[in-house]
Amino acid sequence: MAKPKPETFDKQKTVAENRRARFDYAVEDKFEAGLALQGTEVKALRAGEASIAESYAEVRDGQAWLINANIPEYTHGNRQNHEPRRPRKLLLHTREIERLVGATERKGMTLVPLSIYFNRQGRAKVELALAKGRQAQDKREYLKDRDWQRDKARIMRDHN
């Protein structure tokens, strides 16, 4: 029997975070995916250099890919340094990929990377979100609700 997946992921060191994604998209489901990286990419990530602000994920030919993620060249790398914006393969189970394909094709959802991090074993992982885009009105409601939750917590804290 397979070991159940934890609710939260084991993030030891967060390298890059897409903070704007939670505002622009309504996150419905999260996945943890491994990254197929070259040697100098891992060294650049360990140095804390990466950006996933404009990146997205897609499924092509039964494989998931991280597109437009920027991992700059490693400063101490040699002539075999990596290309900064190359598409990187995401390592997911076949069943998870099928689920992602179904959601993106039928429900019109998007695959958005939320963060790149290293887990306890020292492996680079991507936190992927299956999300639906928010309209301008939805964004205003989201901000209003978030402010109200913050004010409510402040009132309860001051009241006690």
Side-chain angles (χ1 to χ4, degrees), residues 20 22-25 134-148:
R20 182 100 184 144
R22 293 186 196 278
F23 177 71
D24 289 337
Y25 298 95
R134 282 197 175 118
Q135 302 295 322
Q137 177 62 30
D138 297 336
K139 291 179 185 178
R140 285 192 291 272
E141 287 175 15
Y142 173 74
L143 288 174
K144 229 184 273 184
D145 187 47
R146 189 180 66 184
D147 290 344
W148 167 240

Side-chain angles (χ1 to χ4, degrees), residues 34-68:
L35 266 172
L37 299 172
Q38 295 175 353
T40 54
E41 289 176 326
V42 176
K43 291 181 178 190
L45 282 177
R46 289 209 188 279
E49 300 174 4
S51 171
I52 56 171
E54 319 83 38
S55 64
Y56 62 96
E58 69 179 14
V59 178
R60 274 191 253 138
D61 303 325
Q63 294 180 342
W65 296 89
L66 182 63
I67 310 294
N68 209 22

Side-chain angles (χ1 to χ4, degrees), residues 13 17 19 21 26-27 30-32 39 47 56 65 70 79 83 87 90 93 102 106 108 114 134 148-149 151 153-154:
K13 178 187 175 191
E17 198 167 5
R19 298 180 66 203
V27 175
K30 294 181 193 173
F31 294 90
E32 181 180 49
Y56 62 96
W65 296 89
N70 185 25
R79 62 183 176 188
E83 185 183 325
L90 294 174
H93 291 283
R106 278 187 293 258
L114 297 177
R134 282 197 175 118
W148 167 240
Q149 294 297 331
D151 290 344
R154 189 177 300 129

Side-chain angles (χ1 to χ4, degrees), residues 151-160:
D151 290 344
K152 187 167 66 171
R154 189 177 300 129
I155 291 168
M156 293 301 288
R157 187 180 61 233
D158 293 344
H159 181 59
N160 291 336

Side-chain angles (χ1 to χ4, degrees), residues 43-136:
K43 291 181 178 190
L45 282 177
R46 289 209 188 279
E49 300 174 4
S51 171
I52 56 171
E54 319 83 38
S55 64
Y56 62 96
E58 69 179 14
V59 178
R60 274 191 253 138
D61 303 325
Q63 294 180 342
W65 296 89
L66 182 63
I67 310 294
N68 209 22
N70 185 25
I71 300 175
E73 289 186 348
Y74 183 57
T75 54
H76 294 66
N78 56 13
R79 62 183 176 188
Q80 285 140 359
N81 223 332
H82 66 276
E83 185 183 325
R85 288 196 181 265
R86 75 177 183 88
R88 292 166 179 90
K89 187 175 178 181
L90 294 174
L91 308 173
L92 289 162
H93 291 283
T94 309
R95 207 174 262 159
E96 288 175 324
I97 292 175
E98 290 168 359
R99 189 166 158 211
L100 295 176
V101 167
T104 53
E105 287 180 355
R106 278 187 293 258
K107 298 179 187 172
M109 300 180 92
T110 309
L111 285 172
V112 182
L114 297 177
S115 63
I116 295 178
Y117 58 93
F118 286 99
N119 65 2
R120 266 192 223 285
Q121 287 87 28
R123 296 207 166 89
K125 301 284 184 177
V126 175
E127 183 179 6
L128 270 181
L130 200 53
K132 201 168 211 125
R134 282 197 175 118
Q135 302 295 322

